[in-house]
Amino acid sequence: MNQIQTHDIEIEQHGNFVDGRQVEAGGAELIDVHDPATGAVIARIPNSTREDVDRAMKSARAAFEGKEWGGMDIRARARLINRLADAFEANLETLYRLETRNNGRPINETRAQLSRLPDFFRYFAGLALARRDDVIPVEGNYLNYTLRTPIGVVANCTPFNHPLMIMCKSLAAVLASGCTTVVKPSEYTPLTTLKLAEIFTEAGLPNGVFNVVLGYGKDSGRFLSEHPDINKLVLTGGTEAGQIAGSAASKVFAHQTLELGGKTPVLVFDDFNVDQAVNLAAFGAFIGAGQTCVCGSRHIVQETIYDEFVEKLAIKAQGIRVGDPFDPATQMGPVISQRQRQRVMSYAQFGRDEGARAIAGGHETTIEGFEGGYFVQPTVFADVRSDMRIFQEEVFGPFTSITPFTDEADALRLANDSPFGLGAAIRTNRVARAHRVARDIKAGIVWVNDHHRLDPASPWGGVGLSGIGREFGTESFNDHFDVKSVMVAMNDEPQDWYGDPEGRRRLN
């Protein structure tokens, strides 16, 4: 890392992280990394070339096949991963501040999210120790068992909204399984990924196990996803990006886990406390400035409580404190970029043009002392029909809609009227209804009377245009292995298919 001075602001200049150190990459072009709260440039990174990506991939392949990592005993690997978790924990304060500066989330949110990440690694270290292969009862005098071997090199493309958390969802499973990885973080938010690579290397992770390449998705991300030597692609991002990268990776039959777009429906029934439903609605819609794949973006509310819910959510949204991410009193920070702010504003205009009723926000906002920041008012539209763009399309900002429903069947019809199927939420106190709706709603994750909750033991992923595969849980861990079936004949009787016609009882 080099440091250069521009307009009295110290700007860090980074390279890729390969073989345990930062290395120069890219050509003359450098990408500016901005602080979303001020708009100021805080770092510059390269736009990696195909050769840069190939260098990182070769390093990861060498580490995978080398004795230091590839030949490491499972228990030794688990002990190392637990040491990495400890190192992560010891550096949390640095990571809190760096991530808040890089993606603009309030420091309180960042602390609450990042403080859980070391346990991701401890959980998967436990899975590595507990792993057992199977012995399968089969017909005849045979012993049939399975052997699992790590699949190899994992290419991981991560987004800007939760840079460390989403990367760690994959990295924990990669390390516990004995694989290696090349990570391409978002060009908006590369700083904590680079920092964690340094922390883990200093804590004893062998060189080449965790490499980082920087740059634009259309360039370095494309070079990574279409690299002929990847064994698994993990990508969190938009549906179009997933389609492009997934298509490229499929040419080498790489495993794939793709977490893509979402348009989370939140079904609010009239047996649930309205005030609590409003509190959960604000949390689900505006945490992370709404820049989450499972943002509570479609509130589908029973008509008997609809007016009350609309009135109270408007008041709640208008009262959210937007401002300096480092101020503990701030409740919502900026969106990631001017481009993203313009996207949110365009959907506010779509809502107005299509006849929805803006009850909160819908405009940019300026914060004193942070005039260059990308701030948006928490935005709520009511009286939204299912054929409106703001009901159907992902906004990815502090933006939610409210639509009335009549009965359970109507609620499910509206909820499932979407090509996406990542998260969904239900607000009800009726147990039978909760289970019934959870069964019938089209989603990979369903929260009942909660939102955004995750756990490293619980599988995470979607259906439809929200992607394929699962992160977390044994599902993710197992998908980092190739499974080999071994069939052993347990008798010494001679076999001669062609010379013993009487013994031809079965072919296979």
Side-chain angles (χ1 to χ4, degrees):
M1 177 188 74
N2 300 319
Q3 292 184 337
I4 59 178
Q5 203 79 13
T6 303
H7 302 301
D8 298 322
I9 298 174
E10 195 175 75
I11 299 175
E12 298 177 350
Q13 185 167 319
H14 293 278
N16 289 345
F17 192 91
V18 180
D19 274 333
R21 61 189 178 89
Q22 286 202 28
V23 299
E24 290 187 5
E29 177 188 17
L30 290 174
I31 301 170
D32 289 342
V33 178
H34 295 264
D35 176 346
T38 64
V41 176
I42 56 175
R44 292 196 172 102
I45 61 171
N47 188 26
S48 296
T49 65
R50 193 179 296 276
E51 290 72 26
D52 295 325
V53 171
D54 188 59
R55 176 182 181 180
M57 285 293 299
K58 286 178 177 175
S59 165
R61 178 62 63 188
F64 176 72
E65 295 177 351
K67 184 176 181 181
E68 186 179 11
W69 178 253
M72 186 179 290
D73 175 81
I74 289 176
R75 283 171 173 74
R77 185 181 299 123
R79 288 194 297 271
L80 172 58
I81 294 169
N82 278 306
R83 289 201 304 274
L84 299 180
D86 293 342
F88 196 140
E89 215 157 49
N91 285 275
L92 276 173
E93 190 61 39
T94 297
L95 293 169
Y96 293 150
R97 301 190 67 80
L98 186 59
E99 183 131 315
T100 289
R101 190 178 186 211
N102 197 179
N103 79 344
R105 292 188 72 171
I107 190 70
N108 292 338
E109 285 187 22
T110 306
R111 287 180 186 277
Q113 184 175 83
L114 267 58
S115 63
R116 298 191 61 226
L117 302 190
D119 282 343
F120 289 10
F121 295 90
R122 295 181 179 117
Y123 169 78
F124 278 97
L127 281 187
L129 290 175
R131 192 197 83 182
R132 293 184 178 183
D133 288 308
D134 298 319
V135 175
I136 305 168
V138 296
E139 183 180 354
N141 193 14
Y142 291 89
L143 171 65
N144 181 212
Y145 62 92
T146 60
L147 293 174
R148 285 187 288 176
T149 55
I151 56 174
V153 180
V154 179
N156 187 8
C157 298
T158 63
F160 65 77
N161 54 339
H162 309 291
L164 268 188
M165 190 271 284
I166 288 177
M167 192 266 293
C168 287
K169 283 197 296 183
S170 172
L171 182 61
V174 164
L175 299 182
S177 63
C179 294
T180 59
T181 189
V182 178
V183 178
K184 206 298 284 184
S186 168
E187 64 272 18
Y188 291 111
T189 54
L191 302 185
T192 48
T193 299
L194 286 170
K195 185 63 178 176
L196 190 66
E198 293 176 0
I199 291 168
F200 279 7
T201 298
E202 292 171 2
L205 187 66
N207 293 344
V209 174
F210 175 15
N211 293 331
V212 182
V213 294
L214 304 172
Y216 294 117
K218 64 182 178 65
D219 298 320
S220 54
R222 177 169 60 87
F223 301 146
L224 184 59
S225 62
E226 66 186 20
H227 196 282
D229 200 33
I230 66 172
N231 301 111
K232 180 178 172 69
L233 171 67
V234 178
L235 181 145
T236 300
T239 296
E240 183 179 359
Q243 290 168 331
I244 294 169
S247 177
S250 69
K251 293 178 182 178
V252 294
F253 301 103
H255 296 232
Q256 295 188 30
T257 299
L258 307 177
E259 189 210 295
L260 308 177
K263 193 67 178 173
T264 299
V266 180
L267 278 57
V268 183
F269 290 91
D270 62 7
D271 62 276
F272 194 76
N273 180 273
V274 174
D275 291 326
Q276 182 61 12
V278 166
N279 291 338
L280 287 169
F283 173 69
F286 303 130
I287 204 80
Q291 299 170 120
T292 72
C293 304
V294 292
C295 166
S297 56
R298 291 186 295 152
H299 284 83
I300 300 167
V301 180
Q302 197 152 19
E303 60 186 7
T304 47
I305 57 169
Y306 180 80
D307 290 340
E308 182 183 2
F309 182 91
V310 166
E311 179 183 356
K312 290 183 174 180
L313 183 56
I315 294 169
K316 186 77 173 181
Q318 292 162 5
I320 291 174
R321 293 187 295 275
V322 181
D324 174 9
F326 282 100
D327 183 347
T330 293
Q331 296 175 318
M332 196 181 89
V335 294
I336 192 65
S337 65
Q338 176 61 14
R339 178 183 178 184
Q340 196 63 26
R341 179 162 70 172
Q342 289 171 341
R343 178 179 174 85
V344 176
M345 291 302 96
S346 70
Y347 275 91
Q349 191 59 48
F350 295 152
R352 297 185 192 100
D353 291 345
E354 293 181 321
R357 178 164 54 104
I359 61 170
H363 301 283
E364 298 178 6
T365 188
T366 301
I367 305 301
E368 185 177 354
F370 295 82
E371 286 78 8
Y374 315 125
F375 295 93
V376 176
Q377 296 172 342
T379 297
V380 185
F381 276 84
D383 305 342
V384 175
R385 302 186 312 272
S386 62
D387 62 345
M388 292 181 178
R389 292 186 68 174
I390 62 174
F391 186 94
Q392 292 290 339
E393 299 176 13
E394 185 174 37
V395 179
F396 222 70
F399 191 111
T400 193
S401 68
I402 315 175
T403 301
F405 74 85
T406 54
D407 56 20
E408 187 177 309
D410 190 34
L412 277 166
R413 178 187 63 80
L414 289 164
N416 290 336
D417 184 9
S418 171
F420 299 108
L422 185 57
I426 305 162
R427 314 286 185 239
T428 182
N429 288 324
R430 291 176 56 180
V431 174
R433 170 185 283 158
H435 290 294
R436 189 168 58 241
V437 175
R439 178 196 63 200
D440 294 338
I441 205 164
K442 185 175 69 175
I445 310 152
V446 180
W447 292 283
V448 177
N449 301 341
D450 208 337
H451 209 102
H452 285 298
R453 184 70 180 181
L454 57 77
D455 191 278
S458 180
W460 179 281
V463 298
L465 293 188
S466 290
I468 59 172
R470 294 294 180 268
E471 293 183 291
F472 282 155
T474 56
E475 291 82 359
S476 173
F477 182 70
N478 290 339
D479 197 41
H480 286 77
F481 294 90
D482 286 320
V483 180
K484 180 184 300 182
S485 175
V486 180
M487 185 79 74
V488 182
M490 297 295 288
N491 59 59
D492 295 324
E493 297 175 7
Q495 300 182 47
D496 184 357
W497 173 268
Y498 296 102
D500 182 14
E502 299 297 327
R504 296 177 185 168
R505 291 183 299 275
R506 54 178 288 173
L507 178 63
N508 48 36

